[in-house]
Structure formats: structure tokens, C-alpha cells
Amino acid sequence: MNLTLKNLYDDFRDPKTIKALAELITQEAEKLDRPVNIMEVCGGHTHTIMKYGLKQLLPEKIRFIHGPGCPVCIMPKERIDHAYILAQQPDVILVTLGDMIKVPGSKGSLQQARSQGADVRFVYSPLDALKIARENPEKRVIFFAIGFETTTPMTAALIDRAEKLGVTNLLYHINHVTVPEVMRELIDSRDEHIDSYNNRIDAFIGPSHVSVIAGAKIYREFPERYGRPVVVSGFEPVDVMEGVLMLVRQFTQGRCELEIQYRRSVTMEGNLSAQRQIDKFFEKRELFKWRGLGNIPHSALKLREAYAHLDAEKVYGEQLPVEEIEDHKLCICGDILRGMAEPTECQVFGTACTPSKPLGSCMVSSEGACAAYYKYGDLLQRRSDR
């Protein structure tokens, strides 16, 4: 028998197993004396929950709320404007990953910049930027780097490889962000949203791909300091349901701990080699603005001073604006990213804001909560109920 990728994940999508886990969760939830709000931090988990109808399988006492773990959704317009401006510099090729090319800033999206003649290229791997730089020695190639702990090692590997090969026409605009700081912000913030923050999040499902790199240890403070249990879970539906069951059992058994559901790849310490590579090139920023959440201390990375000559923010510093820009007034992406609202509570969801004409980043990104609700939610039924 030839083993295929489908063979590997079939068991993790088995309907009978999913329903059996739902029954166990329901039995366990009957022991709860109040509802439990579980925030899935990552947009990948949100899509699994919506795609496989996991919400509908759970009892009313178990509620999912959606978090800020989508690197495209949290990118503020100011940073997208940087990419837009850099793309239009003479003899520049701007390279980026994912849905970033479609997200509108205040001046437009990278897709629009490309339609106006800018050389903007989408790649699947950061190392493709190296190939582009070597093929275009007369141009300056700028890699607009995005993502959480998951993608940061690939950018570090790109820099390391370019340095070893002596490639001098490749610069970097670094927008890598880190998960623990934003989770801390959601609980610990003391601004006008504080009551809503503290009242909504009872527990976290942590993204496994982040912990493959950074280790589960990055979540230790949440049960220990904040009294919020964390289960690091995989992204298949059986993984998510088992993670929920592990969290519910913590509540019914009076425990508050950090646990790993995705033991197939996640350890407490993570990938130490990748962590050393990241530390070699990056250090924490003092502040980084998250879309809808504002400035969060030490929540993002920048190039170390030794690599300042590769930093597009410094090389093109005079051309890049620093003023803050407000989001669209009708968009509630900020509240959705804080777990304070569901996409369907937005008055423009599915009407003025759709994947083909998005107003907010949660609808633009394929990992965004609004995109998940639009794609998998019962939109037509909701419309008929209005």
C-alpha cells in the first residue's frame, strides 16, 4: 500500500471520533457550574472549528471566542503603507508571503501597487526572495516579512543564507510578532476595554506550530500568573476536540495547568536550534502596533543593530511615514481580535464587507475569523433571520 498524505490525516478527521469526543465533552461539561469561554488564539484553529462544525457539536456551556493569531489580520495600515511605498521605489522588487498582497492600507494594497506598475511578488517560501535577488542583481529586493514564531526561523534562515552567499541587494522589512505578549495584553490590559477582556477569556487553546518552534514553555505564565489554563493543540478537528476536552477536565477537576495535546511534534522546550538562529538576527522591539489592539510592548521583533544596513525601515527611513492611521469606522476587527465580538455582530459583515470587497483585515486574510464565518457559517440563514 502506498502511503499518501490523506492516509496520514484521515484518522484526525474521522467523524465517529469527533462525535465521540463531543459526547465526552458534553458529559464533562454537565459538571460545570458556569459557562467556559475558550479562546483559540490562532486563525487556523478558527477555520477548523468553522469548517468542521465543531461549535455546533459542543454544549452551550462551552463557548469558542476568537483570538488575534492571524499575522495578516493584525497588521496595521501603517505597516502596509510602508510596503506600498517601498514597492514603488525605483528599482525595487517587493516580495512577501500569504494574503498580505491583498490587504488594503490607507494608500491601497500591494495588489493595487502592482497594477500601477510596481514589481510586487508573492512567494511561498522566504528563500524564494534569495533566488529573486540573485537573478536581479541590478535591483534591490525587499522581503516584507510577516508571521508569528512559526515563520520567523525561515526569515532568519534567509538572512543567514544571503550573508553566507554574499548577496548584497536583499533588504528586510521585519514584521514578525510573538504570541505570549498579545495573550498577556488581552488579559492584563488596563485600558477602556479591561472589563470585557477579563470577563471573556477563561482558557486558551495555544497554536501547536508556534510551540514546535518556541516550545510550550512560552505559555507557562498563563496558568501560573493569570489563572488561565492553556492546552497546546494541533489543527485537525480531532486535535481541537481533544484539546477542548483536556481544558474542560481541568475546570471540572479544579486544575489550572499548561498541557500539550499535540505531543506528535510539540515539546516544552521547542526547537532550540531555530531559537538560536532567531536570536542571532533579531531582538525585541520596544513597541509594535497591532491592528485593532494598539501598541503592545515587546510583542514584535526587529533586526539587531549589527544588521541595520539590511533593514529597509532604516535604509528608506526618510520615505516611510510614522503617523498612526485609524481603521474604518464601521469595521469591528479590533473587537473580534480581542474576542469581544463575533464576526456576525458586525453590521457590515457579508454585506458591505465580503472577501471580494473587504473593509477589514479579518475578512481579507484566509485565516481571518470573518473569512471563516463567511466561508463556512450559515450566512444565508442569518440573513433570512434579520
Side-chain angles (χ1 to χ4, degrees), residues 176-248:
H176 287 300
V177 289
T178 50
V179 172
E181 287 76 13
V182 70
M183 290 171 60
R184 195 181 302 144
E185 170 76 10
L186 295 179
I187 299 172
D188 212 19
S189 176
R190 290 291 179 273
D191 63 14
E192 68 271 22
H193 300 296
I194 182 60
D195 289 340
S196 297
Y197 282 10
N198 276 343
N199 288 337
R200 293 286 300 248
I201 305 170
D202 295 312
F204 290 102
I205 292 179
S208 57
H209 52 12
V210 165
S211 286
V212 167
I213 302 299
K217 64 179 185 288
I218 62 172
Y219 302 119
R220 276 186 180 134
E221 64 184 293
F222 297 98
E224 293 175 359
R225 179 181 174 189
Y226 296 108
R228 264 72 166 191
V230 179
V231 170
V232 180
S233 169
F235 288 89
E236 293 296 336
V238 167
D239 291 324
V240 175
M241 293 296 274
E242 186 182 11
V244 171
L245 179 61
M246 292 167 71
L247 282 171
V248 175

Side-chain angles (χ1 to χ4, degrees), residues 21 42 60 75 112 183 190 213 220-221 234 244 251 280 294 306 329 348 372:
L21 285 165
C42 181
E60 290 186 1
M75 196 63 62
Q112 290 169 317
M183 290 171 60
R190 290 291 179 273
I213 302 299
R220 276 186 180 134
E221 64 184 293
V244 171
F251 281 95
K280 177 180 177 182
K329 290 182 179 178
V348 293

